[in-house]
Amino acid sequence: MRGVVTSMRGSISSSIGRRLARAAMTAAHRLMKLGWFVRRPRTFGAHALALTPDRLIILVRLRYAPGWRLPGGGRRPDEDPREAVLRELREEIGMIAYGAVRVGVDLEERADFKRDLASLLIVEEVIYRPRNWSWEVERICEAHLDDLPPDLSPRAAGWIAAVRDKI
């Protein structure tokens, strides 16, 4: 992968601290999945295919889930997907500026026992300054669309394929 990898560093600098944070986040996520298994909730998501000024795609590695993923997350049913994805980019990667934002695709999915409407937005010209440390995001990378990391999550790979012709 030719992409530039930026690791998150900061207040939990020891490898033991990072491992403990990962274990805690993974356990919390598994508990949430158990609740979703019982309730089968209707959820809404907003995710970004975020492109740098050099047209590199920005990916995140979460502490509680394997593989590189697109930045984003949940949104309220009445929340505009555009506003939600911009909020998520500020929170997850430290976005400080962006260009055009457009809807790539809305996908009905069944993920983690949820019935999810995932809105995927294309956000161009993203400039960001990674935070020193995040509970959720462990690492950030930039990659060429034709040279994505081999451990890209299947869901992210599907989303990228769904909007590739719109980039």
Side-chain angles (χ1 to χ4, degrees), residues 58-110:
I58 300 169
L59 300 167
V60 296
R61 183 175 297 279
L62 303 175
R63 292 190 185 280
Y64 55 85
W68 290 101
R69 298 168 179 270
L70 297 179
R75 67 178 172 92
R76 296 181 316 278
D78 62 339
E79 186 177 14
D80 178 63
R82 182 182 187 280
E83 294 304 316
V85 85
L86 294 174
R87 172 182 42 81
E88 289 288 338
L89 285 169
R90 284 188 294 272
E91 291 173 2
E92 291 189 0
I93 67 168
M95 181 183 71
I96 55 176
Y98 61 93
V101 179
R102 63 188 192 283
V103 174
V105 67
D106 288 321
L107 299 170
E108 285 286 343
E109 299 182 316
R110 298 217 180 254

Side-chain angles (χ1 to χ4, degrees), residues 10 42 46-47 65 100 132:
R42 173 69 169 158
H47 305 274
N132 285 338

Side-chain angles (χ1 to χ4, degrees), residues 53-158:
D54 294 328
R55 307 290 293 168
L56 298 173
I57 186 170
I58 300 169
L59 300 167
V60 296
R61 183 175 297 279
L62 303 175
R63 292 190 185 280
Y64 55 85
W68 290 101
R69 298 168 179 270
L70 297 179
R75 67 178 172 92
R76 296 181 316 278
D78 62 339
E79 186 177 14
D80 178 63
R82 182 182 187 280
E83 294 304 316
V85 85
L86 294 174
R87 172 182 42 81
E88 289 288 338
L89 285 169
R90 284 188 294 272
E91 291 173 2
E92 291 189 0
I93 67 168
M95 181 183 71
I96 55 176
Y98 61 93
V101 179
R102 63 188 192 283
V103 174
V105 67
D106 288 321
L107 299 170
E108 285 286 343
E109 299 182 316
R110 298 217 180 254
D112 295 329
F113 310 108
K114 301 179 287 184
R115 297 169 294 121
D116 191 48
L117 174 60
S119 296
L120 180 59
L121 290 91
I122 300 166
V123 184
E124 299 191 38
E125 304 287 321
V126 173
I127 298 171
Y128 65 100
R129 202 172 290 132
R131 301 161 88 187
N132 285 338
W133 194 82
S134 164
W135 277 106
E136 185 176 20
V137 176
E138 186 171 44
R139 293 175 67 199
I140 299 170
C141 86
E142 299 173 0
H144 291 272
L145 278 166
D146 295 327
D147 190 20
L148 296 169
D151 57 342
L152 185 68
S153 79
R155 196 170 183 197

Side-chain angles (χ1 to χ4, degrees), residues 8-14 17-18 63 131-135:
M8 305 295 280
R9 292 185 209 103
S11 58
I12 295 186
S13 57
S14 74
R18 285 191 301 274
R63 292 190 185 280
R131 301 161 88 187
N132 285 338
W133 194 82
S134 164
W135 277 106

